[in-house]
Amino acid sequence: MNLNLSASLNIFKLIANPSLCLPHAVIPTFKDLPIPLNSAFEGKGKDFKVDIKAVVLDKDDCFAIPETNEIHKPYQERFDALRAAYPGRRLLIVSNTAGALSYDPKRELATELEKATGVTVLSHKTKKPGCGAEIMDYFRSHPETGVTSPSQIAVVGDRLSTDIMLANLMGSYGLWVKDGVVPLQRKNIFSRIEQRFGPYLLGRGYAPPQP
């Protein structure tokens, strides 16, 4: 069983501030990912520049079918383009399965995923959305990424209550992969709720916090 104590504890923050689960940009699927990611967060009347130096990438229902450690074949070309735009340590996979030490203590899944993608998978003690400090520690330990502020990081994922909330708690940009890989009728109950909850909040005038 893949329990997520971090998400359970952070639900109280979400109740107090629903904007924490709102993305700064939305795309249907990973195949629609804009590269470079700056373009996802600029424009539309915004008078500021965004400088994304690194990307934190979710796995399940983002670029991979859940419970697999391979890039979904229709997304391979886009994945390669993302890796070219953010080479080396600038692209980091953060999953609540592969690399989550409570679920993958021997890093077997993480190692398999790294071999399949060529991208580092973060080992983290706390699951999303609570692992922001571990992510920042990673980038600080690799100054070649150029990351000096969480506002230079984009978090890409399919879940509002984990991936996007992680981005907002960190002070980063969140990009929601709304439709993901799995059809809506096959998603879990939490994902299906988020499909309605996010647009509902946006329709009520809520907005994500700016990094």
Side-chain angles (χ1 to χ4, degrees):
M1 184 178 294
N2 189 14
L3 298 176
N4 189 347
L5 180 60
S6 173
S8 299
L9 294 174
N10 277 287
I11 194 68
F12 296 105
K13 292 182 181 179
L14 188 57
I15 292 171
N17 184 5
S19 295
L20 287 173
C21 75
L22 291 179
H24 300 88
V26 182
I27 57 173
T29 71
F30 188 82
K31 197 172 184 178
D32 303 294
L33 188 71
I35 300 173
L37 267 72
N38 297 14
S39 60
F41 310 114
E42 295 176 341
K44 298 180 181 178
K46 299 174 182 176
D47 58 356
F48 56 86
K49 298 291 289 182
V50 177
D51 183 22
I52 301 299
K53 293 186 179 295
V55 177
V56 169
L57 189 60
D58 178 46
K59 176 182 77 76
D60 291 326
D61 210 14
C62 180
F63 69 83
I65 296 172
E67 300 183 11
T68 71
N69 281 324
E70 297 180 351
I71 301 164
H72 188 44
K73 287 185 178 180
Y75 301 162
Q76 183 68 59
E77 183 177 346
R78 207 64 188 150
F79 193 97
D80 291 343
L82 180 66
R83 193 170 61 176
Y86 300 92
R89 303 282 186 176
R90 295 178 64 194
L91 182 59
L92 179 68
I93 295 173
V94 181
S95 168
N96 275 350
T97 53
L101 295 178
S102 60
Y103 187 81
D104 185 25
K106 296 182 179 179
R107 278 189 52 86
E108 293 172 345
L109 296 176
T111 299
E112 182 181 341
L113 184 58
E114 287 176 340
K115 289 180 179 178
T117 62
V119 176
T120 298
V121 176
L122 182 71
S123 294
H124 52 108
K125 295 179 181 178
T126 304
K127 289 185 176 181
K128 297 179 289 186
C131 58
E134 293 174 88
I135 292 171
M136 288 308 300
D137 285 345
Y138 172 86
F139 286 117
R140 289 190 189 100
S141 68
H142 297 288
E144 69 273 17
T145 63
V147 174
T148 58
S149 165
S151 65
Q152 296 169 319
I153 299 171
V155 180
V156 178
D158 71 298
R159 294 295 309 278
L160 295 179
S161 59
T162 55
D163 304 306
I164 303 306
M165 190 171 179
L166 166 67
N168 287 321
L169 289 173
M170 286 177 61
S172 301
Y173 286 91
L175 192 154
W176 185 26
V177 183
K178 184 176 182 294
D179 298 337
V181 183
V182 177
L184 180 61
Q185 62 271 23
R186 288 174 48 201
K187 294 183 187 296
N188 65 42
I189 184 63
F190 301 107
S191 295
R192 294 201 299 270
I193 290 172
E194 289 177 356
Q195 293 285 322
R196 293 177 177 269
F197 188 57
Y200 169 79
L201 289 177
L202 292 170
R204 294 292 296 269
Y206 286 90
Q210 286 302 310

